[in-house]
Amino acid sequence: QQQVRQSPQSLTVWEGETAILNCSYEDSTFNYFPWYQQFPGEGPALLISIRSVSDKKEDGRFTIFFNKREKKLSLHITDSQPGDSATYFCAASEGNYKPTFGKGTSLVVHP
Amino acid sequence: AQTIHQWPVAEIKAVGSPLSLGCTIKGKSSPNLYWYWQATGGTLQQLFYSITVGQVESVVQLNLSASRPKDDQFILSTEKLLLSHSGFYLCAWSRDSDYTFGSGTRLLVI
């Protein structure tokens, strides 16, 4: 049972464009949603996170939009840079305990 | 500052041979520890988690075992490797915070 779904599986954008990565979940008890960024050959690293009491979280060029009613969230990367090319994992948990990860979105930013 | 160290960085092992991967966390007491497996370009599959020394919970059965001999150490092992064990093994810790992953161990079973 896949509780966290991500789309698209892969995404290609041009430098300067906004990349939009989508995530949805099923378990209504989930209240914490971190996004992790993983470069090839490295472990994932926390990029940005949001709690269900908020509908938006911004950190520089990265913004999470959260819709609790629809159980959906999205990560927007504005002014995309080639260095943003990586795999992005959406995760969901009740608190910080044992998050459930999505299958990831592979992002490629062309210069 | 907390640090997480995984060893070895990479391994090439023969089918049927034993395996031991290690993970050490420094600068954090009583962390929750996790082992994840990731196929090339694939999703993160949680294998084991441990809340305290000597206690390990299995999440999936992959002919692997884990142990936590010390508060800051987490070991993943098997006596007989399978081809399907190839992949990227990640250790992670959390304690009242987000997950912090190690740099991983790349395993190729031939």
Side-chain angles (χ1 to χ4, degrees):
Chain A
Q1 180 186 5
Q2 185 181 352
Q3 296 193 50
V4 177
R5 289 187 171 84
Q6 289 188 246
S7 64
Q9 184 176 352
S10 61
L11 177 64
T12 299
V13 300
W14 293 101
E15 183 175 357
E17 292 184 333
T18 296
I20 300 176
L21 290 66
N22 301 302
C23 180
S24 63
Y25 62 98
E26 297 175 4
D27 193 332
S28 58
T29 65
F30 289 154
N31 57 14
Y32 180 65
F33 306 89
W35 284 83
Y36 288 82
Q37 179 188 54
Q38 184 179 28
F39 296 106
E42 299 181 8
L46 179 67
L47 179 65
I48 186 173
S49 62
I50 192 168
R51 298 198 179 274
S52 58
V53 294
S54 302
D55 56 15
K56 181 181 177 181
K57 178 76 172 291
E58 195 170 350
D59 184 357
R61 296 185 294 107
F62 301 91
T63 302
I64 300 174
F65 292 93
F66 179 70
N67 186 322
K68 186 174 182 178
R69 182 178 61 83
E70 295 186 8
K71 297 181 184 175
K72 293 181 178 179
L73 58 157
S74 60
L75 175 67
H76 292 224
I77 306 174
T78 57
D79 188 25
S80 296
Q81 301 297 309
D84 296 331
S85 298
T87 298
Y88 292 81
F89 291 97
C90 171
S93 65
E94 185 176 355
N96 290 337
Y97 185 58
K98 289 198 295 178
T100 298
F101 287 88
K103 292 188 175 183
T105 293
S106 175
L107 173 66
V108 175
V109 182
H110 284 305
Chain B
Q2 304 85 29
T3 60
I4 180 168
H5 174 61
Q6 283 190 244
W7 74 91
V9 173
E11 281 265 47
I12 299 176
K13 304 277 282 187
V15 170
S17 62
L19 174 77
S20 181
L21 304 180
C23 174
T24 299
I25 291 85
K26 296 299 183 186
K28 206 65 170 172
S29 62
S30 303
N32 297 327
L33 299 176
Y34 308 84
W35 276 111
Y36 280 82
W37 175 80
Q38 186 178 37
T40 302
T43 192
L44 296 159
Q45 172 66 62
Q46 189 178 98
L47 302 175
F48 299 93
Y49 69 92
S50 172
I51 298 174
T52 189
V53 175
Q55 175 270 340
V56 176
E57 297 293 331
S58 174
V59 178
V60 294
Q61 292 297 325
L62 288 177
N63 294 307
L64 295 167
S65 61
S67 64
R68 187 167 177 178
K70 302 178 183 178
D71 185 54
D72 63 353
Q73 195 173 78
F74 207 18
I75 306 296
L76 183 69
S77 61
T78 183
E79 292 186 358
K80 286 187 177 182
L81 279 166
L82 306 173
L83 287 173
S84 58
H85 285 137
S86 293
F88 196 42
Y89 288 85
L90 291 155
C91 178
W93 73 268
S94 72
R95 178 169 167 78
D96 303 323
S97 66
D98 299 290
Y99 274 35
T100 299
F101 286 88
S103 55
T105 295
R106 178 75 58 189
L107 174 66
L108 176 62
V109 182
I110 57 175

